[in-house]
Structure formats: C-alpha cells, structure tokens
Amino acid sequence: MSALVLISALIIGLSVGLLGSGGSILTVPVLVHLVQLPEKIAIVSSLGVVAQISFIALLPYLWRRHLDFALFKRFAVPAFFGTLLGVALAQWLHSSVQLLILAVLMLGSAANMWRQRIWQWQIHSALLLALLAMALGMLTGLVGVGGGFLIVPLLLAVTTIPMSGAIACSLALIFLQSSTGFISHYWLMSVQGETLPLELIGWLGLIGACGSLGGIVLSAYIPQLWVRKSFSVLLIGTAVSLLWPVFSL
C-alpha cells in the first residue's frame, strides 16, 4: 500500500471527523484511481471502509449522549430498505453509470459545501421524510457513499437538534447504510464466486478511523467554512477525474 493511499485514507477520515460527512464520497475515487481496483469492486469495498470509519467516529458522540435515538429510528428503517434496493439495482447497472451518478453527487455536494450557509430544505411531511431516507439509503447501496453530505443539512432543516446531534445521527445512519450495503454486496459476490480485498478494506478503515478521531479534535480549532470550501475544491477535482474517462470515450 503506497504512502499516497495511506494519506488519502487519513484525509477521508479527517473530513468525516470535521464535517460529519463527505469522506465517504472520496473513498470510491481513491480505490479506483490510486489502488486501481475495478469499479464494481471499488464501490463495494468503499462501503466496508466507510462503515468502519463512521462507527469509530460515532463513538465520541455516543459517549457524550448526542445521538437522538428516537430521531435515528425514524430515518433508519426506510434507509435500511432503501440500501437493499440500491444493492439490487447496482447488479444491473454498468460501473460507468454508477461512477457518473457518483460524480454528479460530488459536484452537487461541492456546490453546497462552498456556500456561506449550506442549503436547507423545510420538510414537515413524515411520508416525504421517509421517502428521502429511503432515497439516501438507495444511493448508498448503488454508488458506495454514506450520504452524510445530504443527511446533515436535511436533519438541520427538519429538526431543532444542534449541529452535534445532526452529525451524530448522520454518522449512525451512515454506519447502518454502509454496513447493510457491504454485507449485502459481499453475500451476493460470494454466491457469484467473486472476492473482495478484505485486508485492504480493514487497513483503510483503520487508518481512516484514526483520521476521523483527529478530525473531531481539530473541529474545535478550524473554522468550518474554511474546511468546507477546501473540501469543495477537492470534490470538484475528484469528480472531474471520474467524469474524464467517461466523456473521453
């Protein structure tokens, strides 16, 4: 494993610790471009890495009792079934389509991160919230991202919980969705006789988890706007790197 891959894993973890989101969206590009895994394998492996990072990053919030379990349960059930649906759909989509969807999500996230204040949507319908949670879960199973870059602003828009509570709930949902997606994909691939680089997934998850704890500490000292704008630039560059091979064909 190269030093660049290790540094990338740390950056992924740092962004999760600093923002409560965003790091997972970088994992697939790192696995595709730096580790050079096939696209389908990279998407599934990303879920395993993200599950580990989000779980470790969640622990300090659980210790401080920042997680609203009642709110988490409202989103968890539809997100769980959405993830299973996304896993099923991923079996029928070409990897280039999955990467295209991921790149579009990255550009949307970059635009949101760049703003002085992140976009928020006032949603009061319980049915609409459930459908949104299911859609976020579906994206997780489909393209290997946790969805935190959408979950945090959504929670802030539709609830009165503080930022720390939104991050805690986001991390819990990311862990649920990512672990569900990874286990589902792993089972399907085992049936088909395919294998995953489990040792690589373990190491990247461990390094990213350490980075996430560092990010939680640094978040008290670094302005959030500066972090978000820096991350936005990184997202745009990574999205272009994913789109370039698709449109150069």
Side-chain angles (χ1 to χ4, degrees), residues 112-131:
N112 196 18
M113 292 285 187
W114 186 264
R115 289 168 54 88
Q116 191 77 18
R117 296 184 62 186
I118 57 177
W119 287 315
Q120 295 180 323
W121 306 273
Q122 295 299 321
I123 303 168
H124 303 289
S125 167
L127 176 60
L128 184 55
L129 283 175
L131 290 174

Side-chain angles (χ1 to χ4, degrees), residues 94-244:
H94 192 274
S95 58
S96 60
V97 177
Q98 290 174 281
L99 292 182
L100 178 61
I101 294 171
L102 177 58
V104 171
L105 288 172
M106 294 176 80
L107 292 174
S109 179
N112 196 18
M113 292 285 187
W114 186 264
R115 289 168 54 88
Q116 191 77 18
R117 296 184 62 186
I118 57 177
W119 287 315
Q120 295 180 323
W121 306 273
Q122 295 299 321
I123 303 168
H124 303 289
S125 167
L127 176 60
L128 184 55
L129 283 175
L131 290 174
L132 283 171
M134 182 174 286
L136 291 171
M138 188 173 69
L139 285 173
T140 296
L142 195 62
V143 297
V145 299
F149 62 97
L150 296 172
I151 297 172
V152 171
L154 176 63
L155 291 172
L156 291 173
V158 301
T159 70
T160 57
I161 59 174
M163 185 66 176
S164 59
I167 291 175
C169 193
S170 172
L171 290 170
L173 287 169
I174 291 170
F175 171 68
L176 172 70
Q177 295 171 178
S178 301
S179 56
T180 301
F182 178 74
I183 292 169
S184 302
H185 275 295
Y186 181 76
W187 179 79
L188 287 171
M189 293 178 75
S190 298
V191 171
Q192 297 164 1
E194 299 182 68
T195 58
L196 290 171
L198 296 179
E199 185 177 350
L200 173 67
I201 292 170
W203 277 110
L204 291 180
L206 177 62
I207 295 165
C210 293
S212 71
L213 295 177
I216 291 172
V217 174
L218 290 174
S219 63
Y221 304 98
I222 302 178
Q224 284 285 297
L225 181 61
W226 183 88
V227 174
R228 285 195 283 112
K229 290 200 171 188
S230 300
F231 189 70
S232 176
V233 173
L234 182 60
L235 281 177
I236 292 171
T238 310
V240 170
S241 73
L242 287 179
L243 289 172
W244 185 260

Side-chain angles (χ1 to χ4, degrees), residues 5-22:
V5 173
L6 296 177
I7 293 170
S8 298
L10 277 174
I11 292 173
I12 290 167
L14 278 169
S15 65
V16 173
L18 286 167
L19 300 168
S21 64

